[in-house]
Amino acid sequence: MDHFLYRDGALFAEDVPISEIAAAVGTPFYVYSSATLLRHFKLFDDALDGTDHLVCYAMKAASNQAILKTLAQAGAGMDVVSGGEYMRAKAAGVPGDKIVFSGVGKTADEIRTALTGGIRQFNVESEPEMDVINAVALELGVIAPITVRVNPDVDAKTHAKIATGKSENKFGIPISRASEVYALAASLPGLKVIGIDVHIGSQLTELEPFELAYNKVAELTERLRSEGHDIRRLDLGGGLGIPYTRSNDAPPLPVEYGAMIKKTLGHLGCEIEIEPGRLIAGNAGLMVSKVIYVKSGEDREFLILDGAMNDLIRPAMYEAHHDIVAVQEPAPGVEQKPYDIVGPVCESGDTFAKERSMPPLSAGDLIAFRSAGAYGAVMSSEYNTRPLIPEVLVHGDQFAVIRERPSFDEMINRDTIPSWL
Ligand code: LLP
């Protein structure tokens, strides 16, 4: 459920008409609903009720500080994957002891930043990285809390580009080598082993792969404990999928996911951490765009939008489907027609949808891409010297621009010309 609904024929974000935001900020733009963000966070938080837990929002999904602050005020921790994300979380007021640092390629500088500013734990992905964290911790005279990310070799049954839990993926250490790697960690004086981390992929639409992975983590917890390690925290990653279409085959709900976690891992008495990103932000955001032209091709009609692949790359990159709706609700019974919906970028890949049934649309009409809150704005670029589009946050009947559209001057003046030119 989200808070983007039609009222009297006009699409609203909570209590604000989308057309009002469009008139104020221009198109295209992203708009997020605070109530939806908070609702989704609470679904996870409630699903783990009765268990010592922390929901660490995977801020890579949507990292505007206003979004982080909204979630942090409700009690969320953050999962970060770069020094930049770490700094952004801190800037949004998230305390270091609620920030988890994931990712396969943390640099010594990033590790130093986190150890200096405070960190809940590093999720370590390799032995060389473990050595670097140890060295930086010793240099700073602190002890770095760590988990080791294990790769359980399970098939997440998701898009190949976002599956991470098979042995051929670059992530984690093979679970079969865990004893060896934990022994190494225990021997390094700058580290304190506190738990195990696992993350098998994103947009999972079944519980089974999670359950397979978590059963392996349960077994591993007992084994590592018997080998003398103090395993008291399990970071179970993110990955629960969202419905991208309004069909009936919706992915499992957070409450079902939480029950499965309790069933597979509850007996171990560990603190549970999860890192959901997409489920919190995905359906809490729209990308709103305007039709610039309706162009008749040989055998089809194109809706040419002012939004493009640089603003929302998911269709081009993952063949991802986003529901696209007219901001002005079509009159009942109006006949839909197929359109190819494209952006103005000079690539055929700049296609959002082919033969998509839409009500008849004309130049100037507004449309909205649903489920665009996660991996939308954060993956955008200035390709074709197109400005990054603004982000807007709605809260009841209020809205605020939380990232401005840069001017062309601001963009162009970031270049510097070498002296020989
Ligand atoms: N934790 C770790 C270690 C991750 O790598 C990820 C996502 C998450 C948590 C959050 O997963 P989520 O709950 O959002 O599924 N750009 C792609 C998705 C990439 C996901 C990368 N890792 C897309 O647009 O579908």
Side-chain angles (χ1 to χ4, degrees), residues 126-145:
S126 67
E127 286 136 302
E129 186 198 34
M130 198 175 266
D131 284 334
V132 174
I133 298 177
N134 178 55
V136 177
L138 292 178
E139 164 201 315
L140 296 173
V142 298
I143 304 275

Side-chain angles (χ1 to χ4, degrees), residues 1-2 4-5 243-249 321 323 325 370:
M1 203 216 109
D2 60 47
F4 302 111
L5 300 171
Y244 274 98
T245 57
R246 306 214 140 178
S247 63
N248 291 328
D249 53 350
H321 171 99
D323 277 354
V325 297
R370 297 182 60 86

Side-chain angles (χ1 to χ4, degrees), residues 116-368:
T116 309
I119 191 78
R120 182 173 177 82
Q121 98 233 5
F122 292 98
N123 294 331
V124 178
E125 300 232 10
S126 67
E127 286 136 302
E129 186 198 34
M130 198 175 266
D131 284 334
V132 174
I133 298 177
N134 178 55
V136 177
L138 292 178
E139 164 201 315
L140 296 173
V142 298
I143 304 275
I146 65 150
T147 70
V148 176
R149 177 168 176 183
V150 293
N151 185 325
D153 195 21
V154 300
D155 182 356
K157 299 190 192 154
T158 184
H159 192 285
K161 283 189 184 150
I162 52 175
T164 55
K166 284 290 282 173
S167 56
E168 69 255 32
N169 301 129
K170 68 181 174 186
F171 300 96
I173 57 125
I175 202 161
S176 55
R177 289 190 46 238
S179 289
E180 202 184 313
V181 176
Y182 273 84
L184 171 67
S187 74
L188 298 174
L191 305 184
K192 166 125 191 67
V193 172
I194 55 165
I196 305 173
D197 171 47
V198 69
H199 169 80
I200 57 173
S202 193
Q203 187 53 17
L204 272 66
T205 52
E206 295 168 32
L207 286 186
E208 193 209 349
F210 287 116
E211 193 164 349
L212 284 172
Y214 297 171
N215 278 324
K216 291 190 179 193
V217 169
E219 262 175 54
L220 181 63
T221 303
E222 313 231 34
R223 174 146 55 88
L224 292 174
R225 281 179 171 168
S226 74
E227 290 165 5
H229 301 287
D230 179 17
I231 305 298
R232 55 180 125 120
R233 182 180 293 164
L234 301 177
D235 182 331
L236 304 176
L240 192 59
I242 62 170
Y244 274 98
T245 57
R246 306 214 140 178
S247 63
N248 291 328
D249 53 350
L253 301 172
V255 64
E256 297 166 293
Y257 174 66
M260 182 274 290
I261 289 175
K262 289 177 186 169
K263 187 181 79 180
T264 50
L265 300 161
H267 59 289
L268 296 165
C270 287
E271 179 186 4
I272 300 294
E273 233 166 52
I274 54 171
E275 303 169 349
R278 189 189 309 265
L279 203 145
I280 291 181
N283 281 325
L286 306 177
M287 182 177 85
V288 179
S289 187
K290 191 162 68 188
V291 177
I292 313 176
Y293 297 114
V294 182
K295 173 173 170 176
S296 297
E298 186 119 321
D299 59 351
R300 63 191 69 209
E301 279 202 282
F302 295 97
L303 289 182
I304 303 180
L305 308 182
D306 59 2
M309 64 190 289
N310 68 297
D311 304 311
L312 177 64
I313 192 114
R314 302 193 70 261
M317 192 153 172
Y318 313 110
E319 296 86 40
H321 171 99
H322 286 264
D323 277 354
I324 305 173
V325 297
V327 167
Q328 185 64 45
E329 189 175 26
V334 76
E335 206 174 316
Q336 306 248 324
K337 53 191 284 194
Y339 289 106
D340 280 15
I341 304 181
V342 303
V345 164
C346 312
E347 292 199 30
S348 300
D350 188 21
T351 297
F352 291 117
K354 290 201 154 151
E355 291 184 51
R356 184 68 65 89
S357 286
M358 298 289 293
L361 288 164
S362 320
D365 287 343
L366 296 175
I367 62 166

